[in-house]
Amino acid sequence: LPSFPTRRSSDLTVVATTDSAGAYSFSVPPGGDYTIRPTKKHYTFDPDTATFTALSTDQMVNFAARLNRHAIAGRILDEHGRAIPGTTITLSGGHNTGTASDANGNYSFSGLAAGANYTVTASSGRHSFANASQSFTDLEADQTANFSGTTLFYFITGQVLDTANRPMVGLSVTLTGSKSGVATTDSAGTYSFD
């Protein structure tokens, strides 16, 4: 474990730094009251302090250090405030991984090591993002990274049925306007333009 300061207090405060083996020591007069508290940014210690009242003999106390973990989470919405499910979300930096937004547009990366730098990037084949990446330097708490996407195109889909409510198979459906095309209905009578 890297060095960290340890404090002792009675009438004064003294700071010791651990050596390369994580050991520390104080030489103190007998009879005093002392509290030892390890500190290092991004770490939690167990126990968090050790207290000695009317010290009358040598004492040893060991502390277990645990690197703090945090989450980066957010939501992906379109220009109308609707969730964008299936958006690819990539995490890089202190940990590299990816996920996709759920049906409500939510995503989360949990268990991220404190103190590292992270970048979250959103991408979608159907949406553009003005600010597609957000960065967090020296992560020290849970963070939120929301993204707002603009729809690049919409789907036009439907179904063609006859008067008996049966699918019309192999029927040509024509799209005209800003985009044109022809789609053929499938076995369920459905067609799609994207």
Side-chain angles (χ1 to χ4, degrees):
L1 181 68
S3 63
F4 61 92
T6 304
R7 290 183 171 80
R8 165 187 66 84
S9 63
S10 56
D11 295 331
L12 63 125
T13 298
V14 176
V15 177
T17 301
T18 57
D19 63 19
S20 62
Y24 67 94
S25 68
F26 292 106
S27 177
V28 297
D33 298 333
Y34 302 97
T35 299
I36 300 172
R37 178 182 316 276
T39 58
K40 181 171 177 66
K41 186 176 182 179
H42 304 303
Y43 282 84
T44 302
F45 295 89
D46 184 25
D48 61 343
T49 61
T51 301
F52 304 102
T53 304
L55 186 67
S56 61
T57 185
D58 290 341
Q59 297 291 324
M60 176 185 276
V61 61
N62 295 322
F63 297 92
R66 179 178 49 87
L67 180 63
N68 296 330
R69 301 284 174 170
H70 303 293
I72 299 174
R75 191 163 188 217
I76 317 301
L77 301 175
D78 69 11
E79 66 272 26
H80 304 291
R82 297 177 299 212
I84 305 175
T87 300
T88 300
I89 309 296
T90 305
L91 178 72
S92 59
H95 184 71
N96 298 313
T97 190
T99 191
S101 57
D102 65 16
N104 296 312
N106 297 312
Y107 76 92
S108 179
F109 297 107
S110 60
L112 303 177
N117 300 329
Y118 298 94
T119 299
V120 181
T121 304
S123 62
S124 167
R126 291 196 60 202
H127 298 83
S128 66
F129 298 92
N131 297 311
S133 294
Q134 295 184 42
S135 295
F136 301 93
T137 303
D138 191 25
L139 187 68
E140 57 185 318
D142 290 349
Q143 296 294 326
T144 300
N146 294 322
F147 295 91
S148 180
T150 301
T151 304
L152 298 174
F153 58 88
Y154 293 97
F155 288 102
I156 299 174
T157 62
Q159 185 178 32
V160 180
L161 304 173
D162 65 15
T163 56
N165 222 18
R166 292 181 303 234
M168 302 272 310
V169 179
L171 183 73
S172 292
V173 179
T174 304
L175 174 69
T176 60
S178 299
K179 182 178 178 181
S180 61
V182 176
T184 303
T185 58
D186 62 16
S187 61
T190 61
Y191 65 91
S192 176
F193 295 101
D194 56 12

Coordinates of all heavy atoms in Angstrom, one line a residue, residues 53-146:
T53 N -6.4 5.2 26.0 CA -6.6 6.1 27.1 C -5.5 5.7 28.2 O -5.4 4.5 28.5 CB -8.0 5.9 27.7 OG1 -8.9 6.2 26.6 CG2 -8.3 6.9 28.8
A54 N -4.9 6.7 28.7 CA -3.9 6.5 29.8 C -2.9 5.4 29.4 O -2.7 4.4 30.0 CB -4.5 6.2 31.1
L55 N -2.2 5.6 28.2 CA -1.3 4.6 27.6 C -0.3 4.1 28.7 O 0.4 4.9 29.3 CB -0.6 5.2 26.4 CG 0.2 4.3 25.6 CD1 -0.6 3.2 24.9 CD2 1.0 5.0 24.6
S56 N -0.2 2.8 28.9 CA 0.7 2.3 29.9 C 1.6 1.1 29.3 O 2.4 0.6 30.1 CB -0.1 1.7 31.1 OG -1.0 0.7 30.6
T57 N 1.4 0.8 28.0 CA 2.3 -0.2 27.5 C 2.4 0.0 25.9 O 1.6 0.7 25.4 CB 1.8 -1.6 27.8 OG1 2.7 -2.6 27.3 CG2 0.4 -1.9 27.2
D58 N 3.3 -0.7 25.3 CA 3.4 -0.7 23.8 C 2.0 -1.2 23.2 O 1.4 -2.1 23.8 CB 4.5 -1.5 23.3 CG 5.9 -0.9 23.6 OD1 5.9 0.3 23.9 OD2 6.9 -1.7 23.5
Q59 N 1.6 -0.6 22.2 CA 0.4 -1.0 21.5 C 0.6 -1.2 20.0 O 1.5 -0.5 19.4 CB -0.7 0.1 21.7 CG -1.1 0.3 23.1 CD -1.9 -0.9 23.7 OE1 -2.7 -1.5 23.0 NE2 -1.6 -1.1 24.9
M60 N -0.1 -2.1 19.4 CA 0.0 -2.3 17.9 C -1.5 -2.2 17.4 O -2.4 -2.9 17.9 CB 0.6 -3.6 17.6 CG 0.6 -3.8 16.0 SD 1.3 -5.4 15.5 CE 3.0 -5.0 15.5
V61 N -1.7 -1.5 16.4 CA -3.0 -1.5 15.7 C -2.7 -1.5 14.2 O -1.9 -0.7 13.7 CB -3.9 -0.3 16.1 CG1 -3.3 1.0 15.8 CG2 -5.3 -0.4 15.5
N62 N -3.4 -2.4 13.5 CA -3.3 -2.5 12.1 C -4.6 -2.0 11.4 O -5.7 -2.2 12.0 CB -3.0 -3.9 11.6 CG -1.6 -4.4 12.1 OD1 -0.7 -3.6 12.1 ND2 -1.5 -5.6 12.5
F63 N -4.5 -1.4 10.3 CA -5.7 -0.9 9.6 C -5.7 -1.5 8.2 O -4.7 -1.7 7.5 CB -5.6 0.7 9.4 CG -5.5 1.4 10.7 CD1 -4.3 1.8 11.3 CD2 -6.7 1.8 11.3 CE1 -4.3 2.5 12.5 CE2 -6.7 2.6 12.5 CZ -5.5 2.9 13.1
A64 N -6.9 -1.9 7.8 CA -7.2 -2.5 6.5 C -7.7 -1.4 5.6 O -8.7 -0.7 5.9 CB -8.2 -3.6 6.6
A65 N -6.9 -1.1 4.5 CA -7.3 -0.1 3.6 C -8.1 -0.6 2.4 O -7.8 -1.7 1.9 CB -6.1 0.6 3.0
R66 N -9.2 0.1 2.1 CA -10.0 -0.4 0.9 C -10.2 0.8 0.0 O -10.7 1.9 0.4 CB -11.4 -0.8 1.4 CG -12.3 -1.3 0.3 CD -13.7 -1.8 0.9 NE -14.3 -0.9 1.9 CZ -15.1 0.1 1.6 NH1 -15.4 0.3 0.3 NH2 -15.6 0.8 2.5
L67 N -9.9 0.6 -1.3 CA -10.1 1.7 -2.3 C -11.6 1.9 -2.5 O -12.3 0.9 -2.7 CB -9.4 1.3 -3.6 CG -9.5 2.2 -4.8 CD1 -8.8 3.6 -4.4 CD2 -8.9 1.6 -6.0
N68 N -12.0 3.1 -2.4 CA -13.4 3.4 -2.6 C -13.8 3.1 -4.1 O -13.0 3.2 -5.0 CB -13.7 4.9 -2.3 CG -13.5 5.2 -0.8 OD1 -13.6 4.3 0.0 ND2 -13.1 6.4 -0.5
R69 N -15.1 2.8 -4.3 CA -15.7 2.5 -5.6 C -16.9 3.4 -5.8 O -17.6 3.7 -4.8 CB -16.1 1.0 -5.7 CG -15.0 0.0 -5.4 CD -14.1 -0.1 -6.7 NE -13.0 -0.9 -6.4 CZ -12.2 -1.3 -7.4 NH1 -12.4 -0.9 -8.7 NH2 -11.1 -2.1 -7.2
H70 N -17.1 3.8 -7.0 CA -18.2 4.7 -7.4 C -18.9 4.2 -8.7 O -18.4 3.3 -9.3 CB -17.7 6.1 -7.5 CG -17.0 6.6 -6.3 ND1 -17.6 6.9 -5.1 CD2 -15.7 6.9 -6.1 CE1 -16.8 7.3 -4.2 NE2 -15.6 7.3 -4.8
A71 N -19.9 4.9 -9.0 CA -20.7 4.6 -10.2 C -20.8 5.9 -11.1 O -20.8 7.0 -10.6 CB -22.1 4.1 -9.9
I72 N -20.9 5.6 -12.4 CA -21.2 6.7 -13.3 C -22.5 6.1 -14.0 O -22.5 5.0 -14.6 CB -20.1 7.0 -14.4 CG1 -18.9 7.5 -13.7 CG2 -20.6 8.0 -15.4 CD1 -17.7 7.7 -14.6
A73 N -23.6 6.9 -14.0 CA -24.8 6.5 -14.5 C -25.5 7.6 -15.2 O -25.2 8.8 -15.0 CB -25.7 5.9 -13.4
G74 N -26.5 7.4 -16.0 CA -27.2 8.4 -16.7 C -28.4 7.9 -17.5 O -28.8 6.7 -17.4
R75 N -29.0 8.9 -18.2 CA -30.1 8.5 -19.1 C -29.9 9.2 -20.4 O -29.4 10.3 -20.6 CB -31.4 9.1 -18.4 CG -32.7 8.6 -19.0 CD -33.9 8.8 -18.1 NE -35.0 8.1 -18.7 CZ -36.2 8.6 -18.7 NH1 -36.5 9.7 -18.1 NH2 -37.2 7.9 -19.3
I76 N -30.4 8.5 -21.5 CA -30.3 8.9 -22.8 C -31.7 9.3 -23.3 O -32.6 8.4 -23.3 CB -29.7 7.8 -23.8 CG1 -28.5 7.1 -23.1 CG2 -29.3 8.4 -25.1 CD1 -27.4 8.0 -22.7
L77 N -31.9 10.6 -23.7 CA -33.2 11.0 -24.2 C -33.1 11.7 -25.5 O -32.0 12.2 -25.9 CB -33.8 12.0 -23.2 CG -34.0 11.6 -21.8 CD1 -34.5 12.7 -20.9 CD2 -35.0 10.4 -21.7
D78 N -34.2 11.7 -26.3 CA -34.2 12.3 -27.6 C -34.6 13.8 -27.4 O -34.8 14.3 -26.3 CB -35.0 11.6 -28.7 CG -36.5 11.7 -28.4 OD1 -37.0 12.4 -27.5 OD2 -37.2 10.9 -29.0
E79 N -34.7 14.5 -28.5 CA -35.0 15.9 -28.5 C -36.4 16.2 -28.0 O -36.8 17.4 -27.6 CB -34.9 16.6 -29.9 CG -35.8 16.1 -30.9 CD -35.4 14.8 -31.7 OE1 -34.6 14.0 -31.2 OE2 -35.8 14.6 -32.8
H80 N -37.3 15.2 -27.8 CA -38.6 15.3 -27.3 C -38.7 14.8 -25.9 O -39.8 14.7 -25.3 CB -39.6 14.6 -28.2 CG -39.6 15.0 -29.6 ND1 -40.0 16.3 -30.1 CD2 -39.1 14.4 -30.7 CE1 -39.8 16.4 -31.3 NE2 -39.3 15.3 -31.8
G81 N -37.6 14.5 -25.3 CA -37.6 14.0 -23.9 C -38.0 12.5 -23.8 O -38.2 12.0 -22.7
R82 N -38.0 11.8 -24.9 CA -38.3 10.3 -24.9 C -37.0 9.5 -24.7 O -36.0 9.9 -25.3 CB -39.0 9.9 -26.2 CG -40.4 10.7 -26.3 CD -41.0 10.3 -27.7 NE -40.1 10.7 -28.8 CZ -40.5 11.1 -29.9 NH1 -41.8 11.1 -30.2 NH2 -39.6 11.4 -30.9
A83 N -37.1 8.4 -24.0 CA -36.0 7.5 -23.8 C -35.5 7.0 -25.2 O -36.3 6.7 -26.1 CB -36.4 6.4 -23.0
I84 N -34.2 6.8 -25.3 CA -33.6 6.2 -26.5 C -33.0 4.9 -26.0 O -31.8 4.8 -25.5 CB -32.5 7.1 -27.1 CG1 -33.0 8.5 -27.4 CG2 -31.9 6.4 -28.3 CD1 -31.9 9.4 -27.9
P85 N -33.7 3.8 -26.1 CA -33.2 2.5 -25.7 C -32.1 2.0 -26.8 O -32.2 2.4 -27.9 CB -34.4 1.6 -25.7 CG -35.4 2.2 -26.7 CD -35.1 3.7 -26.6
G86 N -31.2 1.2 -26.3 CA -30.3 0.5 -27.2 C -29.1 1.4 -27.6 O -28.3 1.0 -28.5
T87 N -29.0 2.6 -27.0 CA -27.8 3.5 -27.3 C -26.5 2.8 -26.8 O -26.5 2.3 -25.7 CB -28.0 4.8 -26.7 OG1 -29.2 5.4 -27.2 CG2 -26.8 5.7 -27.0
T88 N -25.5 2.8 -27.6 CA -24.2 2.2 -27.2 C -23.5 3.2 -26.3 O -23.3 4.4 -26.7 CB -23.3 1.9 -28.4 OG1 -24.0 0.9 -29.2 CG2 -22.0 1.3 -27.9
I89 N -23.2 2.8 -25.1 CA -22.5 3.6 -24.1 C -21.1 3.0 -23.8 O -21.1 1.8 -23.4 CB -23.3 3.8 -22.8 CG1 -24.7 4.2 -23.1 CG2 -22.6 4.8 -21.9 CD1 -24.9 5.5 -23.7
T90 N -20.0 3.7 -24.1 CA -18.7 3.2 -23.9 C -18.0 3.9 -22.8 O -18.1 5.2 -22.7 CB -17.9 3.4 -25.2 OG1 -18.6 2.8 -26.3 CG2 -16.5 2.8 -25.1
L91 N -17.4 3.2 -21.9 CA -16.6 3.7 -20.8 C -15.1 3.5 -21.1 O -14.7 2.3 -21.4 CB -16.9 3.1 -19.5 CG -16.2 3.5 -18.3 CD1 -16.6 4.9 -17.9 CD2 -16.4 2.6 -17.1
S92 N -14.3 4.5 -21.0 CA -12.8 4.3 -21.2 C -12.1 5.1 -20.1 O -12.6 5.9 -19.4 CB -12.4 4.9 -22.6 OG -12.8 6.2 -22.8
G93 N -10.8 4.8 -20.0 CA -9.9 5.4 -19.0 C -9.5 4.4 -18.0 O -8.9 3.4 -18.3
G94 N -9.9 4.6 -16.7 CA -9.5 3.7 -15.6 C -10.1 2.3 -15.8 O -9.6 1.4 -15.2
H95 N -11.1 2.2 -16.6 CA -11.7 0.9 -16.9 C -12.4 1.0 -18.2 O -13.0 2.0 -18.5 CB -12.7 0.5 -15.8 CG -13.3 -0.9 -16.0 ND1 -12.6 -2.0 -15.7 CD2 -14.6 -1.3 -16.4 CE1 -13.4 -3.1 -16.0 NE2 -14.6 -2.6 -16.3
N96 N -12.2 0.0 -19.1 CA -12.8 0.0 -20.4 C -13.8 -1.1 -20.5 O -13.6 -2.2 -20.3 CB -11.7 -0.3 -21.5 CG -10.6 0.8 -21.5 OD1 -10.9 2.0 -21.4 ND2 -9.4 0.4 -21.4
T97 N -15.1 -0.6 -20.9 CA -16.2 -1.5 -21.0 C -17.3 -0.8 -21.8 O -17.2 0.4 -22.1 CB -16.7 -2.0 -19.7 OG1 -17.6 -3.1 -19.9 CG2 -17.3 -0.9 -18.8
G98 N -18.3 -1.5 -22.0 CA -19.5 -0.9 -22.8 C -20.8 -1.5 -22.3 O -20.8 -2.6 -21.7
T99 N -21.9 -0.8 -22.6 CA -23.2 -1.3 -22.3 C -24.2 -0.6 -23.3 O -23.7 0.2 -24.1 CB -23.6 -1.0 -20.8 OG1 -24.8 -1.7 -20.5 CG2 -23.8 0.5 -20.5
A100 N -25.4 -0.9 -23.1 CA -26.5 -0.3 -23.9 C -27.5 0.3 -23.0 O -27.8 -0.3 -21.9 CB -27.1 -1.3 -24.9
S101 N -28.1 1.4 -23.4 CA -29.2 1.9 -22.6 C -30.4 1.0 -22.6 O -30.7 0.3 -23.6 CB -29.6 3.3 -23.0 OG -30.0 3.3 -24.4
D102 N -31.1 0.9 -21.5 CA -32.3 0.0 -21.3 C -33.5 0.6 -22.0 O -33.5 1.7 -22.6 CB -32.5 -0.4 -19.9 CG -32.9 0.8 -19.0 OD1 -33.3 1.8 -19.5 OD2 -32.8 0.6 -17.7
A103 N -34.7 0.0 -21.8 CA -35.9 0.5 -22.4 C -36.3 1.9 -21.9 O -37.0 2.6 -22.6 CB -37.0 -0.5 -22.1
N104 N -35.8 2.3 -20.8 CA -36.1 3.6 -20.2 C -35.0 4.6 -20.5 O -35.0 5.7 -20.0 CB -36.4 3.6 -18.7 CG -37.6 2.7 -18.4 OD1 -38.7 2.9 -19.0 ND2 -37.5 1.8 -17.5
G105 N -34.0 4.2 -21.3 CA -32.9 5.1 -21.6 C -31.8 5.1 -20.6 O -30.8 5.9 -20.7
N106 N -31.9 4.3 -19.5 CA -30.9 4.3 -18.4 C -29.7 3.4 -18.7 O -29.9 2.4 -19.4 CB -31.6 3.9 -17.1 CG -32.7 4.8 -16.7 OD1 -32.5 6.1 -16.7 ND2 -33.9 4.3 -16.4
Y107 N -28.6 3.8 -18.1 CA -27.4 2.9 -18.1 C -26.6 3.2 -16.9 O -26.9 4.2 -16.2 CB -26.5 3.2 -19.4 CG -25.7 4.5 -19.2 CD1 -24.5 4.5 -18.6 CD2 -26.3 5.7 -19.5 CE1 -23.8 5.7 -18.4 CE2 -25.6 6.9 -19.3 CZ -24.4 6.9 -18.8 OH -23.7 8.1 -18.6
S108 N -25.7 2.3 -16.5 CA -24.9 2.5 -15.3 C -23.6 1.7 -15.4 O -23.6 0.5 -15.9 CB -25.7 2.0 -14.1 OG -24.9 2.2 -12.9
F109 N -22.5 2.3 -14.9 CA -21.3 1.6 -14.8 C -21.0 1.6 -13.3 O -20.8 2.7 -12.7 CB -20.1 2.2 -15.5 CG -20.3 2.2 -17.0 CD1 -20.7 3.4 -17.7 CD2 -20.2 1.0 -17.8 CE1 -20.8 3.4 -19.1 CE2 -20.4 1.0 -19.1 CZ -20.7 2.2 -19.8
S110 N -20.9 0.5 -12.6 CA -20.7 0.5 -11.1 C -19.4 -0.1 -10.8 O -18.7 -0.7 -11.6 CB -21.9 -0.2 -10.4 OG -21.9 -1.5 -10.8
G111 N -19.0 0.1 -9.5 CA -17.7 -0.5 -9.0 C -16.5 0.1 -9.6 O -15.4 -0.6 -9.7
L112 N -16.5 1.3 -10.0 CA -15.4 2.0 -10.6 C -14.4 2.5 -9.6 O -14.8 3.1 -8.6 CB -15.8 3.2 -11.5 CG -16.8 2.8 -12.6 CD1 -17.2 4.1 -13.4 CD2 -16.2 1.8 -13.6
A113 N -13.1 2.2 -9.8 CA -12.1 2.6 -8.8 C -12.0 4.1 -8.7 O -11.9 4.8 -9.7 CB -10.7 2.0 -9.2
A114 N -12.0 4.6 -7.4 CA -11.9 6.0 -7.2 C -10.5 6.5 -7.6 O -9.5 5.7 -7.6 CB -12.1 6.3 -5.7
G115 N -10.4 7.7 -8.0 CA -9.1 8.3 -8.3 C -8.7 8.2 -9.7 O -7.7 8.8 -10.2
A116 N -9.4 7.4 -10.5 CA -9.0 7.2 -11.9 C -9.8 8.2 -12.7 O -10.7 8.8 -12.3 CB -9.3 5.8 -12.4
N117 N -9.4 8.4 -14.0 CA -10.1 9.3 -14.9 C -10.9 8.4 -15.9 O -10.5 7.3 -16.3 CB -9.0 10.1 -15.8 CG -8.1 10.9 -14.9 OD1 -8.5 11.4 -13.9 ND2 -6.9 11.1 -15.4
Y118 N -12.1 8.9 -16.2 CA -13.1 8.1 -17.0 C -13.7 9.0 -18.0 O -14.0 10.2 -17.8 CB -14.2 7.5 -16.1 CG -13.7 6.5 -15.1 CD1 -13.4 6.9 -13.8 CD2 -13.5 5.2 -15.5 CE1 -12.9 6.0 -12.9 CE2 -13.0 4.3 -14.5 CZ -12.7 4.7 -13.2 OH -12.3 3.8 -12.3
T119 N -14.0 8.4 -19.2 CA -14.8 9.1 -20.2 C -15.9 8.2 -20.7 O -15.7 7.0 -20.9 CB -13.9 9.5 -21.5 OG1 -12.8 10.3 -21.1 CG2 -14.7 10.1 -22.6
V120 N -17.1 8.8 -20.7 CA -18.3 8.1 -21.1 C -18.7 8.7 -22.5 O -18.8 9.9 -22.6 CB -19.5 8.3 -20.1 CG1 -20.7 7.5 -20.5 CG2 -19.0 7.8 -18.7
T121 N -19.0 7.8 -23.5 CA -19.3 8.2 -24.8 C -20.6 7.5 -25.2 O -20.7 6.3 -25.1 CB -18.2 7.9 -25.8 OG1 -17.0 8.5 -25.3 CG2 -18.5 8.4 -27.2
A122 N -21.5 8.3 -25.8 CA -22.8 7.7 -26.3 C -22.7 7.7 -27.9 O -22.3 8.7 -28.5 CB -24.0 8.6 -25.9
S123 N -23.2 6.6 -28.5 CA -23.3 6.6 -29.9 C -24.5 5.8 -30.3 O -25.0 4.8 -29.6 CB -22.0 6.0 -30.5 OG -21.9 4.7 -30.1
S124 N -25.1 6.2 -31.5 CA -26.3 5.5 -32.0 C -26.4 5.7 -33.5 O -26.0 6.8 -34.0 CB -27.6 6.1 -31.3 OG -28.7 5.7 -32.0
G125 N -26.8 4.7 -34.2 CA -26.9 4.8 -35.6 C -28.1 5.7 -36.0 O -28.2 6.2 -37.2
R126 N -29.1 5.9 -35.1 CA -30.3 6.6 -35.4 C -30.3 8.0 -34.8 O -31.3 8.8 -35.0 CB -31.5 5.9 -34.9 CG -31.8 4.6 -35.7 CD -33.2 4.1 -35.4 NE -34.2 5.1 -35.8 CZ -35.4 5.1 -35.3 NH1 -35.8 4.2 -34.5 NH2 -36.2 6.0 -35.7
H127 N -29.3 8.4 -34.0 CA -29.3 9.6 -33.3 C -27.9 10.3 -33.3 O -26.9 9.5 -33.3 CB -29.8 9.5 -31.8 CG -31.1 9.0 -31.7 ND1 -31.5 7.6 -31.7 CD2 -32.3 9.6 -31.5 CE1 -32.8 7.5 -31.6 NE2 -33.3 8.7 -31.5
S128 N -27.9 11.6 -33.3 CA -26.6 12.3 -33.2 C -26.6 12.9 -31.8 O -27.7 13.3 -31.3 CB -26.4 13.3 -34.3 OG -27.3 14.4 -34.2
F129 N -25.4 13.1 -31.2 CA -25.3 13.7 -29.9 C -24.3 14.9 -30.0 O -23.2 14.7 -30.4 CB -24.7 12.7 -28.9 CG -25.6 11.5 -28.7 CD1 -25.5 10.4 -29.5 CD2 -26.7 11.6 -27.8 CE1 -26.3 9.3 -29.3 CE2 -27.5 10.5 -27.6 CZ -27.4 9.3 -28.4
A130 N -24.8 16.1 -29.7 CA -24.0 17.3 -29.8 C -22.8 17.2 -28.8 O -21.6 17.5 -29.2 CB -24.8 18.5 -29.4
N131 N -23.0 16.6 -27.6 CA -21.9 16.4 -26.7 C -21.9 14.9 -26.4 O -22.5 14.4 -25.5 CB -22.2 17.2 -25.3 CG -22.1 18.7 -25.6 OD1 -21.2 19.2 -26.2 ND2 -23.2 19.3 -25.1
A132 N -21.2 14.2 -27.3 CA -21.2 12.7 -27.3 C -20.4 12.1 -26.2 O -20.5 10.9 -25.9 CB -20.8 12.1 -28.6
S133 N -19.5 12.9 -25.6 CA -18.6 12.4 -24.5 C -18.6 13.3 -23.3 O -18.7 14.5 -23.4 CB -17.1 12.3 -25.0 OG -17.0 11.3 -26.0
Q134 N -18.5 12.7 -22.1 CA -18.3 13.4 -20.9 C -17.2 12.8 -20.1 O -17.1 11.5 -20.0 CB -19.6 13.4 -20.1 CG -20.8 14.1 -20.8 CD -22.0 14.1 -19.9 OE1 -21.9 14.4 -18.7 NE2 -23.2 13.9 -20.5
S135 N -16.3 13.6 -19.5 CA -15.1 13.1 -18.8 C -15.2 13.4 -17.3 O -15.7 14.5 -17.0 CB -13.9 13.7 -19.4 OG -13.7 13.2 -20.7
F136 N -14.6 12.6 -16.5 CA -14.6 12.7 -15.1 C -13.1 12.5 -14.7 O -12.6 11.4 -14.9 CB -15.5 11.8 -14.4 CG -16.9 12.0 -14.8 CD1 -17.5 11.2 -15.8 CD2 -17.7 12.9 -14.2 CE1 -18.8 11.4 -16.2 CE2 -19.0 13.1 -14.6 CZ -19.6 12.4 -15.6
T137 N -12.5 13.5 -14.1 CA -11.1 13.4 -13.7 C -11.0 13.1 -12.2 O -11.8 13.7 -11.4 CB -10.4 14.7 -14.0 OG1 -10.5 15.0 -15.4 CG2 -8.9 14.7 -13.6
D138 N -10.2 12.2 -11.8 CA -10.0 11.9 -10.3 C -11.3 11.6 -9.7 O -11.7 12.2 -8.7 CB -9.3 13.1 -9.7 CG -8.8 12.7 -8.3 OD1 -8.5 11.5 -8.0 OD2 -8.7 13.6 -7.4
L139 N -12.0 10.5 -10.2 CA -13.3 10.2 -9.7 C -13.3 10.0 -8.2 O -12.6 9.2 -7.6 CB -13.8 8.9 -10.3 CG -15.2 8.4 -10.1 CD1 -16.2 9.4 -10.7 CD2 -15.5 7.0 -10.6
E140 N -14.2 10.8 -7.5 CA -14.2 10.7 -6.0 C -15.6 10.6 -5.5 O -15.8 10.6 -4.3 CB -13.5 11.9 -5.4 CG -14.0 13.3 -5.8 CD -13.1 14.4 -5.2 OE1 -12.7 14.2 -4.0 OE2 -12.8 15.3 -5.9
A141 N -16.6 10.5 -6.3 CA -18.0 10.3 -5.9 C -18.8 9.7 -7.1 O -18.3 9.8 -8.2 CB -18.6 11.6 -5.4
D142 N -20.0 9.2 -6.8 CA -20.9 8.8 -7.9 C -21.2 10.0 -8.8 O -21.3 11.2 -8.3 CB -22.2 8.3 -7.4 CG -22.1 7.0 -6.6 OD1 -21.0 6.3 -6.7 OD2 -23.0 6.5 -6.0
Q143 N -21.2 9.8 -10.1 CA -21.4 10.9 -11.1 C -22.6 10.5 -12.0 O -22.9 9.4 -12.2 CB -20.2 11.1 -11.9 CG -19.0 11.6 -11.1 CD -19.2 12.9 -10.5 OE1 -19.8 13.8 -11.1 NE2 -18.6 13.2 -9.3
T144 N -23.2 11.6 -12.6 CA -24.2 11.4 -13.6 C -23.8 12.0 -14.9 O -23.2 13.1 -15.0 CB -25.5 12.2 -13.1 OG1 -25.9 11.6 -11.9 CG2 -26.6 12.0 -14.1
A145 N -24.0 11.2 -16.0 CA -23.7 11.7 -17.3 C -24.9 11.4 -18.2 O -25.1 10.3 -18.7 CB -22.4 10.9 -17.9
N146 N -25.8 12.4 -18.4 CA -26.9 12.3 -19.2 C -26.6 12.8 -20.6 O -25.7 13.6 -20.8 CB -28.1 13.1 -18.7 CG -28.6 12.6 -17.3 OD1 -28.7 11.4 -17.1 ND2 -29.0 13.5 -16.5

